[in-house]
């Protein structure tokens, strides 16, 4: 049964669209890293949001979308979201973003080829789980994406929170907007949904990178609320909207390397392929073992990561394509070695020695991963808690491994006085030492609009453990139709 939307009075008549100055200060469009946009005044947005002619998103358009989503979360029942963002505009946004995402490699590199230089900083964000108002605060606090400000979002945009759809669409809008601004700076005035020339241009630098989390899957969104959220908000078009989101999830890259020094991925490290000499010929032919025994696990390489098939709705825990499942579901451990993550039923556990081996082998200095909130860390006393939104889990000779979590007061519907009042955090990496993380913790935005949950939070497993792998197999049979 779908959750009942909260009662709300019909919205008052909408005034003419306000100017950019009425919503955000001129700092919104500034490229200065130190300028931060002010909070929006309590004015009504101009709705519905219409896709711009030619598809070129501006800061003003994305600002209007942010304003509209924030206003609607307080003034309208969830079922009225199509009056804010009609299906036609949704389709254009998701199609445009999907074209960009699917062209990106499994591991995106943010370096001088992406215009990363000594005038730039990189903001890294962990799990946000549909907490729209905290995401809006984070963007305003860190400063919007700009010529000198890159963003890397480390997955888990949806589920558990009540506004997963709005969060995901907002981040897609920033992705599209910044990519298009780069094209315009090169004098490419094109419609990226209609011009084939875009295919050869989208690989050029932009400023927002959206990586995939384990919750960007069919299984998790069916269990933790996102599917029901979409159906409640878009009604008869809900199945269509949900399928489009799943297709977009498939295009999200798995990892990033920042300035050649920092590796980011939702869960972290991944296994490699065991290669053994073939009995037929020890020199020429070699056989590959994709599902090795426990005692033969080894760390993977970036060459293997580049070849992994990421376009799967539910990453496999067995078979020939294990890297996506490892990257999305693995966890650090204080026990040395590499072993199956039996607690989750998918992915790996990797110790400090594995972190050291990975950093040293690939000449890296820092690993930023996410994937674990305060509920998960409550069950792992050997690792630090998530009270301030981050933990430094491994300190080794070659560098560090950090877990970053950006959803304060998490989970939204489970957090009580007796449970979690954690802060969220984001990381800023600045030149010349991009490998030195600067942590920015923040409190949850309060008061939060009252809304009903989209999943049975009292019975669902807290930290994604004990997965129903049989259901994942059944659900994965729907992947082709969803794609």
């Amino acid at each position: 049964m779908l959750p009942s939307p909260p009662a709300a009075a019909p919205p008052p008549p909408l005034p003419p669209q306000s100017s950019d100055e009425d919503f955000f200060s001129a700092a919104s469009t500034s490229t200065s890293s130190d300028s931060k946009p002010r909070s929006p005044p309590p004015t009504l947005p101009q709705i519905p949001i219409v896709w711009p002619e030619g598809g070129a998103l501006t800061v003003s358009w994305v600002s209007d979308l942010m304003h509209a989503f924030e206003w609607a979360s307080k003034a309208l029942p969830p079922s009225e979201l199509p009056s804010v963002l009609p299906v036609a505009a949704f389709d254009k946004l998701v199609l445009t973003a999907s074209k960009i995402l699917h062209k990106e490699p499994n591991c995106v590199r943010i370096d001088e080829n992406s215009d990363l230089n000594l005038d730039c900083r990189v903001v890294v964000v962990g799990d946000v789980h549909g907490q729209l108002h905290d995401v809006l605060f984070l963007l305003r606090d860190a400063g919007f994406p700009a010529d000198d400000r890159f963003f890397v979002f480390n997955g888990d945009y949806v589920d558990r929170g009540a506004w997963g759809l709005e969060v995901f669409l907002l981040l897609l809008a920033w992705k599209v907007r910044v990519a298009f601004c780069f094209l315009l700076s090169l004098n490419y005035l094109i419609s990226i949904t209609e011009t084939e020339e875009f295919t050869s241009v989208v690989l050029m630098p932009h400023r927002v990178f959206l990586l995939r989390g384990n919750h960007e899957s069919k299984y998790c969104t069916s269990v933790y609320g996102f599917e029901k959220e979409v159906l409640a908000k878009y009604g008869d078009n809900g199945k269509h909207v949900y399928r489009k989101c799943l297709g977009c999830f498939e295009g999200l890259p798995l990892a990033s390397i920042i300035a050649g020094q920092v590796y980011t991925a939702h869960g972290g490290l991944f296994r490699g392929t065991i290669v053994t000499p073939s009995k037929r010929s020890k020199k020429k032919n070699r056989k590959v073992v994709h599902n090795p025994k426990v005692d033969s696990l080894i760390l993977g390489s970036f060459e293997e990561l580049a070849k992994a098939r990421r376009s799967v709705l539910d990453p496999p825990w067995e078979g020939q394509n294990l890297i996506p499942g490892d990257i999305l579901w693995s966890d650090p451990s204080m026990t040395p070695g590499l072993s199956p993550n039996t607690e989750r039923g998918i992915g790996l556990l990797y110790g400090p020695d594995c972190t050291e081996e990975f950093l040293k082998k690939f000449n890296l200095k820092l690993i930023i991963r996410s994937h674990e909130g305060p509920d998960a860390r409550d069950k792992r006393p050997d690792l630090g808690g998530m009270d301030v939104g981050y933990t430094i889990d491994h300190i080794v000779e070659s560098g560090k491994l950090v877990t970053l979590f950006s959803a304060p007061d998490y989970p939204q519907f489970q957090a009580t006085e007796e449970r979690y009042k954690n802060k969220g955090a984001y990381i800023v990496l600045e030149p010349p030492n991009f490998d030195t993380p600067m942590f920015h913790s923040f409190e949850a935005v309060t008061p939060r609009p009252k809304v009903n949950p989209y999943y049975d939070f009292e019975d669902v497993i807290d930290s994604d453990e004990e997965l129903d792998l049989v259901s994942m197999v059944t659900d994965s049979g729907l992947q082709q139709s969803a794609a």
Side-chain angles (χ1 to χ4, degrees), residues 216-453:
E216 279 71 60
S217 65
K218 189 175 193 309
Y219 173 80
C220 283
T221 54
S222 298
V223 173
Y224 293 96
F226 180 66
E227 180 180 17
K228 289 184 178 179
E229 175 193 340
V230 173
L231 295 178
K233 290 177 177 177
Y234 274 88
D236 293 342
N237 291 307
K239 291 183 178 180
H240 165 81
V241 170
Y242 180 58
R243 285 196 299 267
K244 292 296 183 181
C245 288
L246 292 180
C248 196
F249 291 165
E250 292 181 345
L252 295 170
L254 300 175
S256 78
I257 298 179
I258 302 169
Q261 303 178 76
V262 183
Y263 168 77
T264 70
H266 185 69
L269 305 188
F270 54 95
R271 79 190 73 192
T273 300
I274 304 295
V275 180
T276 59
S278 170
K279 294 181 179 179
R280 294 185 298 274
S281 171
K282 294 184 179 181
K283 294 183 178 180
K284 295 183 179 180
N285 297 323
R286 300 171 74 84
K287 65 179 180 179
V288 177
V289 180
H290 293 282
N291 198 16
K293 296 181 180 179
V294 173
D295 58 0
S296 61
L297 286 172
I298 63 171
L299 287 174
S301 67
F302 287 108
E303 289 77 14
E304 290 171 304
L305 171 56
K307 297 176 183 178
R309 178 174 171 262
R310 77 173 188 256
S311 58
V312 288
L313 288 178
D314 292 312
W317 66 94
E318 62 181 2
Q320 299 182 0
N321 188 36
L322 295 176
I323 288 179
D326 286 349
I327 284 184
L328 301 183
W329 286 93
S330 294
D331 295 305
S333 170
M334 295 310 296
T335 302
L338 196 63
S339 61
N341 195 337
T342 56
E343 195 71 29
R344 293 190 186 269
I346 184 174
L348 304 170
L349 290 174
Y350 50 90
D353 57 325
C354 298
T355 295
E356 169 61 21
E357 178 185 343
F358 190 83
L359 291 172
K360 185 175 182 180
K361 182 177 180 180
F362 299 110
N363 197 28
L364 300 167
K365 296 182 179 179
L366 176 66
I367 297 172
I368 302 175
R369 46 92 59 179
S370 302
H371 191 40
E372 291 183 287
D375 53 346
R377 283 300 172 94
D378 248 13
K379 301 177 181 179
R380 305 187 68 197
D382 57 324
L383 293 171
M386 201 53 64
D387 296 340
V388 295
Y390 68 91
T391 59
I392 300 175
D393 297 323
H394 294 165
I395 300 177
V396 295
E397 182 179 353
S398 297
K400 299 176 182 178
L401 179 140
V402 170
T403 295
L404 176 66
F405 196 77
S406 303
D409 195 20
Y410 172 88
Q412 178 184 343
F413 295 108
Q414 292 165 266
T416 66
E417 293 296 335
E418 293 76 31
R419 293 198 63 191
Y420 311 113
K421 285 292 183 182
N422 66 292
K423 294 181 180 180
Y426 62 89
I427 288 174
V428 176
L429 306 175
E430 291 189 341
N433 300 314
F434 286 100
D435 60 306
T436 303
M438 293 183 291
F439 300 97
H440 295 256
S441 295
F442 60 95
E443 301 275 1
V445 173
T446 56
R448 189 163 44 213
K450 294 186 180 298
V451 66
N452 294 326

Side-chain angles (χ1 to χ4, degrees), residues 90-107:
F90 164 86
D91 283 343
K92 289 287 190 180
L93 175 58
V94 173
L95 173 62
T96 304
S98 292
K99 285 186 176 183
I100 298 171
L101 292 167
H102 279 80
K103 290 294 182 180
E104 292 181 331
N106 286 345
C107 182

Side-chain angles (χ1 to χ4, degrees), residues 18 22-24 40-47 49 61-73 84 136 140 170:
S18 59
D22 291 334
F23 178 44
F24 284 135
T43 57
L44 295 177
Q46 177 67 44
I47 58 175
I49 300 293
W61 192 93
V62 181
S63 296
D64 287 345
L65 184 67
M66 294 173 67
H67 189 186
F69 281 166
E70 185 173 23
W71 174 83
S73 72
V84 176
L136 293 174
R140 293 165 185 157
L170 174 60

Side-chain angles (χ1 to χ4, degrees), residues 22-36:
D22 291 334
F23 178 44
F24 284 135
S25 69
S28 301
T29 57
S30 171
T31 60
S32 170
S33 297
D34 295 325
S35 59
K36 296 178 182 178

Side-chain angles (χ1 to χ4, degrees), residues 17 20 23-24 28-29 40 45-46 49-52 55-70 84-85 93 132 135-136 139-140 144-145 166-181 208:
Q17 185 173 11
D20 295 343
F23 178 44
F24 284 135
S28 301
T29 57
Q46 177 67 44
I49 300 293
V50 178
W51 187 253
L57 301 192
T58 63
V59 168
S60 177
W61 192 93
V62 181
S63 296
D64 287 345
L65 184 67
M66 294 173 67
H67 189 186
F69 281 166
E70 185 173 23
V84 176
L85 185 71
L93 175 58
L132 173 67
V135 171
L136 293 174
L139 287 168
R140 293 165 185 157
F144 291 162
E166 288 92 332
V167 166
F168 185 56
L169 295 177
L170 174 60
L171 298 183
L172 290 183
W174 276 115
K175 174 77 174 177
V176 172
R177 185 261 160 187
V178 179
F180 218 123
C181 280
V208 176

Side-chain angles (χ1 to χ4, degrees), residues 54-239:
L57 301 192
T58 63
V59 168
S60 177
W61 192 93
V62 181
S63 296
D64 287 345
L65 184 67
M66 294 173 67
H67 189 186
F69 281 166
E70 185 173 23
W71 174 83
S73 72
K74 302 172 182 177
L76 298 179
S79 59
E80 291 298 315
L81 187 60
S83 68
V84 176
L85 185 71
V87 173
F90 164 86
D91 283 343
K92 289 287 190 180
L93 175 58
V94 173
L95 173 62
T96 304
S98 292
K99 285 186 176 183
I100 298 171
L101 292 167
H102 279 80
K103 290 294 182 180
E104 292 181 331
N106 286 345
C107 182
V108 295
R109 293 183 179 268
I110 306 167
D111 51 27
E112 62 274 7
N113 293 324
S114 304
D115 282 0
L116 183 67
N117 54 52
L118 295 183
D119 295 323
C120 297
R121 61 178 64 178
V122 181
V123 180
V124 184
V125 182
D127 301 33
V128 293
H129 281 295
Q131 298 186 191
L132 173 67
H133 308 87
D134 300 318
V135 171
L136 293 174
F137 170 83
L138 188 156
L139 287 168
R140 293 165 185 157
D141 192 60
F144 291 162
D147 288 347
D148 65 348
R149 190 181 300 112
F150 291 69
F151 273 79
V152 176
F153 292 89
N154 213 16
D156 277 12
Y157 313 108
V158 303
D159 282 340
R160 293 188 179 269
W163 300 279
L165 182 59
E166 288 92 332
V167 166
F168 185 56
L169 295 177
L170 174 60
L171 298 183
L172 290 183
W174 276 115
K175 174 77 174 177
V176 172
R177 185 261 160 187
V178 179
F180 218 123
C181 280
F182 179 81
L183 299 181
L184 295 178
S185 71
L186 296 179
N187 296 320
Y188 286 104
L189 187 57
I190 59 175
S191 171
I192 58 181
T193 60
E194 299 175 358
T195 306
E196 291 184 358
E197 183 182 5
F198 175 72
T199 302
S200 62
V201 176
V202 293
L203 296 180
M204 297 215 176
H206 38 87
R207 298 294 184 269
V208 176
F209 297 87
L210 304 179
L211 307 184
R212 187 173 177 180
N214 65 300
H215 277 264
E216 279 71 60
S217 65
K218 189 175 193 309
Y219 173 80
C220 283
T221 54
S222 298
V223 173
Y224 293 96
F226 180 66
E227 180 180 17
K228 289 184 178 179
E229 175 193 340
V230 173
L231 295 178
K233 290 177 177 177
Y234 274 88
D236 293 342
N237 291 307
K239 291 183 178 180

